[in-house]
Amino acid sequence: MEPAGRFITFEGIDGAGKSSHIDTLAAAFRRLGETVTVTREPGGTPLAEKIRALLLNDAMDALTESLLVFAGRRDHLRCVIEPALARGEVVLCDRFTDATFAYQGGGRGFDAKVLSILERITQSGIALEPEKMRDPDLTIWFDLPPEMAAARLADARAPDRFESQPAEFFGRVRQGYAERASAAPQRFVRLDAGQPRDAVWSQLTGSLVQRGWLQAGTSDVGASAS
Ligand code: TMP
């Protein structure tokens, strides 16, 4: 039987501002009586968080990077995401497989066909049944020009292996997201993340109200949050 929960992922280049909206959205869902799991990739389990530290800090080639990303994802799906969805929860995940196609595929130029094979193997359920491949139900893409994202990141903490990439890298990552979005338009919602926070929040909640997943008026709550 299909899991009853809703699996929502959040994507965008570094500095797009997505993370600050996720907790506010979780609170909005909880006010409606939903149980919410907030998680992230790379990471989300003790094992996958160790893999995250390697990915962000250690030099490696694009295939190694991709294999590690999918290894962490398998553990995350098995231990956190699938069980939460089976319990009927809302799962809000900061990045998922679209990030692999955007960063390893677009940014690093790694073969998308190989990524598709790894995607199918990793996301085909515990028993590896391809017809049960787990995709997000909805993906919110915070889109903005790399120059604007770089300006936002300028005063942030010391950059990791990805954040320290040049603007051209993020141009390719952005293009990678655009290709994933046009291949699955019914799953993707593109937000103009260059707008002020309140306007981005309104776009975000508007898309959820449209699906009947939030009630109209939720946007007022986010606008007043920090
Ligand atoms: P975060 O800072 O948004 O948590 O993400 C950490 C970095 O990992 C971010 O720069 C994007 C990168 N990343 C990949 O390269 N491939 C992936 O599949 C994922 C999920 C993230």
Side-chain angles (χ1 to χ4, degrees):
M1 210 174 77
E2 280 298 300
R6 274 155 293 167
F7 182 23
I8 306 176
T9 58
F10 301 82
E11 299 284 358
I13 60 174
D14 293 85
K18 62 188 162 44
S19 305
S20 76
H21 289 283
I22 296 176
D23 288 338
T24 315
L25 187 60
F29 273 119
R30 286 185 183 118
R31 266 190 299 277
L32 292 175
E34 302 275 6
T35 303
V36 184
T37 290
V38 177
T39 188
R40 69 170 180 183
E41 290 206 356
T45 68
L47 172 64
E49 289 291 331
K50 288 183 193 164
I51 293 175
R52 176 188 174 92
L54 296 174
L55 282 162
L56 298 192
N57 299 306
D58 291 34
M60 63 188 79
D61 78 350
L63 173 57
T64 310
E65 216 170 76
S66 304
L67 292 169
L68 285 177
V69 157
F70 277 112
R73 184 161 299 137
R74 166 80 178 160
D75 194 56
H76 191 206
L77 273 166
R78 212 171 65 82
C79 300
V80 174
I81 297 174
E82 295 282 11
L85 292 172
R87 291 191 299 268
E89 296 181 12
V90 173
V91 175
L92 304 182
C93 188
D94 190 344
R95 298 191 187 282
F96 194 63
T97 302
D98 297 305
T100 315
F101 281 86
Y103 279 79
Q104 281 64 53
R108 302 277 193 230
F110 188 67
D111 190 339
K113 287 199 286 301
V114 176
L115 295 180
S116 294
I117 293 166
L118 295 173
E119 177 188 33
R120 209 162 318 121
I121 294 170
T122 305
Q123 291 165 223
S124 291
I126 309 301
L128 299 181
E129 295 161 280
E131 70 281 5
K132 289 198 180 157
M133 187 166 106
R134 202 3 140 169
D135 262 338
D137 297 304
L138 177 67
T139 297
I140 309 284
W141 172 29
F142 290 71
D143 184 36
L144 85 173
E147 304 73 37
M148 208 181 257
R152 288 184 183 176
L153 280 178
D155 298 327
R157 64 190 188 285
D160 62 37
R161 274 179 72 239
F162 295 100
E163 290 164 344
S164 55
Q165 291 295 317
E168 305 80 68
F169 175 88
F170 289 106
R172 295 195 298 275
V173 173
R174 187 187 192 195
Q175 181 57 31
Y177 278 127
E179 284 165 18
R180 290 286 281 182
S182 65
Q186 70 296 344
R187 172 166 70 83
F188 265 84
V189 170
R190 177 192 168 276
L191 307 184
D192 177 357
Q195 292 189 4
R197 188 187 190 285
D198 288 0
V200 176
W201 174 254
S202 298
Q203 294 177 61
L204 168 54
T205 51
S207 69
L208 293 166
V209 169
Q210 214 176 30
R211 280 171 174 70
W213 292 2
L214 281 183
Q215 290 157 358
T218 313
S219 53
D220 306 338
V221 178
S224 59
S226 61

